Amino acid sequence: MIEALRRRFLMIAMLSLTGTLCVIGASINLGNLYRITRLADTAIELLYQNDGTFPLSDGERPDVAGGFQITEETPFETRYCIVHLTKKREVREVEMEHIAALDREKVVDLVSEIIRDGKKSGFNGYYRYQVYEKGEESTIVVLNCFLQLQSVYNVLQVTLLVIVCCVTLVFFLLLLLSGRVIRPFAENIERQKRFLTDVSHELKTPLGIISANTGVLELTKGKDEWTESIRNQVKRLDSLIKDLIELSKSEEYVKESEFTEFSVSQIAETNADSFRTLAQMQGKQLNAEIEPGVCMRGQEDSIIRLMTILLDNGVKYCDPSGTVELRLRQKGRQVVLQVANPCRDMDTAQVPHLFDRFYRADSSRSRQSGGYGIGLSIARAVTEGHKGRIGAAYEAGNLVFTVVLPGIAGKNIQL
């Protein structure tokens, strides 16, 4: 459980960090692109308003228009061309003395693409343009933004590199330090397990003495309701102690070193036959729909225990004269096991708590059946130990337990 919590913590921490860094990186790069685009549009607007030139100030300080600085070097640093169109959207005049990368033919092709797109402004490659219409004629100002877009791309590369380095560094730091952080919790859980096991074993001795003394009383004075009550309570306590011992070991209940391949179908058939008789003795029925050849790799005893817990729970809490349904099928590479029983008086608010330790949905019925709310906790531990999942749902008056386990597709194993 500790290792599972550690992996979950690492996953959540890394996803949170990666998501945060991605949002920050995206904000920086989108803001940078917006700034570059805004400055380019400001420069284009200045060129259009000043007949293809930049207005220079008479003072020593450069003018700043919309964040775009204008100096004496600006006309030589900026590459642009201005195209005048006729009312038929044909090129009438091209001012291209401030750009060397384009000749008249390339400008005409570029203008044709801009007209075809039908946009008033935008990018065509690394050229930023705006279309101005005045009367029957139109003017297109095209600005070369290659260096600006290259800087945007460089910032994006650096941002991605920083994100990858930060995520990698934090991952290894968390991987290294998380073990030390969870060590006290692991030791505390281990002490709790040891305490629970020790107490359970210590309780066996006085229970044995009580049982023996009860036997002596029955031999000397005969059986009565008091000795019968003592024996019933001793049986209940003995059952509880066994469950507590099993619960204390439930975290390490499944050991991968003991995994083998086996037929789940045969286990289901065997358990169905056993519990069918028990159900009939209580005036109930048990139907089984078991797909043949369903198999998996795992700890066979644990899966038997899992199926026994679910069937025992289904028969115990099935409504009188009701029918327990056992279904087993293979779905791709997954084994799907379902146990359903009618339970008309079930409170839906109790369903999420059924796997909690020592939780009993109906205390009066649990006392009658001898349950302590431990079995489903063990079932969950077995399922998670096999890297599966278990859940409960209340559907149309039926309590349905569903277990999904990793299976072996296309194999039929006979025991």
Side-chain angles (χ1 to χ4, degrees):
M1 182 182 72
I2 291 294
E3 284 302 319
L5 289 175
R6 182 185 181 188
R7 288 193 297 268
R8 194 173 302 170
F9 166 74
L10 286 173
M11 182 182 68
I12 293 174
M14 296 312 301
L15 286 176
S16 300
L17 175 65
T18 304
T20 302
L21 291 178
C22 286
V23 170
I24 294 174
S27 301
I28 292 174
N29 284 272
L30 290 175
N32 188 32
L33 179 61
Y34 172 78
R35 184 184 66 85
I36 293 297
T37 303
R38 184 170 174 273
L39 291 177
D41 289 342
T42 302
I44 290 173
E45 184 69 25
L46 289 172
L47 290 171
Y48 176 72
Q49 296 293 340
N50 293 276
D51 298 323
T53 61
F54 287 106
L56 298 176
S57 62
D58 297 332
E60 296 181 356
R61 298 183 63 183
D63 287 339
V64 180
F68 183 81
Q69 291 187 343
I70 304 174
T71 67
E72 294 180 353
E73 297 296 329
T74 300
F76 305 99
E77 296 173 344
T78 309
R79 298 291 176 258
Y80 62 93
C81 67
I82 301 176
V83 183
H84 301 280
L85 306 178
T86 65
K87 61 180 179 180
K88 295 182 178 180
R89 311 285 281 185
E90 296 176 349
V91 177
R92 176 174 62 82
E93 181 185 357
V94 179
E95 300 177 20
M96 48 187 305
E97 61 269 18
H98 293 281
I99 192 167
L102 297 174
D103 55 23
R104 185 178 178 86
E105 183 178 352
K106 291 181 179 179
V107 170
V108 172
D109 292 339
L110 179 62
V111 169
S112 299
E113 293 180 8
I114 292 173
I115 294 174
R116 193 182 311 118
D117 290 341
K119 298 178 180 179
K120 295 298 182 181
S121 65
F123 279 100
N124 187 295
Y126 49 81
Y127 292 101
R128 180 71 178 176
Y129 66 87
Q130 285 199 29
V131 180
Y132 298 92
E133 295 181 354
K134 186 176 182 181
E136 294 183 348
E137 296 186 352
S138 302
T139 301
I140 300 177
V141 182
V142 179
L143 185 68
N144 187 322
C145 297
F146 175 78
L147 294 178
Q148 291 84 351
L149 292 177
Q150 186 68 29
S151 69
V152 171
Y153 177 71
N154 291 337
V155 171
L156 177 61
Q157 283 186 312
V158 172
T159 303
L160 292 176
L161 180 61
V162 170
I163 290 175
V164 171
C165 291
C166 287
V167 169
T168 304
L169 178 61
V170 172
F171 174 75
F172 282 109
L173 286 175
L174 287 177
L175 193 63
L176 180 65
L177 299 177
S178 60
R180 296 184 180 182
V181 172
I182 67 173
R183 188 178 301 163
F185 299 96
E187 292 175 353
N188 185 44
I189 290 177
E190 187 60 33
R191 284 194 295 268
Q192 291 179 10
K193 291 180 184 178
R194 190 162 54 248
F195 171 78
L196 194 58
T197 304
D198 292 344
V199 169
S200 300
H201 282 292
E202 289 297 327
L203 286 174
K204 284 186 175 182
T205 301
L207 279 179
I209 295 174
I210 293 172
S211 180
N213 290 341
T214 304
V216 173
L217 287 174
E218 289 177 341
L219 289 175
T220 57
K221 296 185 178 181
K223 293 184 179 180
D224 55 28
E225 67 272 18
W226 303 110
T227 57
E228 185 67 23
S229 176
I230 292 172
R231 285 201 175 277
N232 289 336
Q233 295 305 317
V234 168
K235 288 181 181 179
R236 291 191 66 210
L237 285 173
D238 185 61
S239 175
L240 175 59
I241 289 170
K242 290 178 181 178
D243 285 342
L244 288 174
I245 293 174
E246 189 171 3
L247 181 62
S248 68
K249 298 179 179 179
S250 62
E251 301 301 338
E252 64 268 7
Y253 198 79
V254 179
K255 299 179 181 178
E256 292 192 20
S257 60
E258 299 177 2
F259 278 16
T260 57
E261 294 182 1
F262 56 89
S263 172
V264 187
S265 297
Q266 291 194 5
I267 292 175
E269 290 282 2
T270 303
N271 276 273
D273 291 340
S274 300
F275 280 93
R276 187 175 288 113
T277 303
L278 178 63
Q280 290 173 353
M281 291 173 60
Q282 300 179 17
K284 305 171 184 177
Q285 299 294 324
L286 191 151
N287 291 338
E289 297 178 11
I290 301 172
E291 181 180 322
V294 178
C295 53
M296 65 174 291
R297 179 177 176 79
Q299 194 177 56
E300 186 173 355
D301 291 341
S302 299
I303 299 301
I304 293 174
R305 178 64 172 141
L306 166 65
M307 204 169 298
T308 300
I309 290 171
L310 293 180
L311 286 173
D312 181 65
N313 188 82
V315 173
K316 278 182 180 179
Y317 301 113
C318 177
D319 288 339
S321 303
T323 300
V324 180
E325 300 286 345
L326 168 65
R327 291 183 286 270
L328 176 71
R329 70 183 189 276
Q330 182 104 21
K331 186 178 180 181
R333 294 187 63 88
Q334 292 182 327
V335 175
V336 181
L337 170 68
Q338 283 188 322
V339 177
N341 64 276
C343 191
R344 291 189 302 270
D345 299 330
M346 184 72 186
D347 183 1
T348 55
Q350 297 173 339
V351 175
H353 304 287
L354 291 177
F355 297 100
D356 295 347
R357 292 180 177 182
F358 303 104
Y359 181 83
R360 297 186 294 183
D362 188 334
S363 59
S364 62
R365 294 175 66 184
S366 295
R367 281 193 295 269
Q368 294 171 8
S369 59
Y372 290 93
I374 298 176
L376 291 176
S377 299
I378 297 173
R380 181 174 60 182
V382 171
T383 304
E384 293 177 349
H386 283 83
K387 296 180 173 59
R389 60 183 185 275
I390 185 172
Y394 190 65
E395 304 170 354
N398 289 284
L399 181 60
V400 183
F401 290 95
T402 303
V403 179
V404 180
L405 296 166
I408 305 174
K411 295 192 71 174
N412 191 338
I413 300 174
Q414 301 295 329
L415 291 178

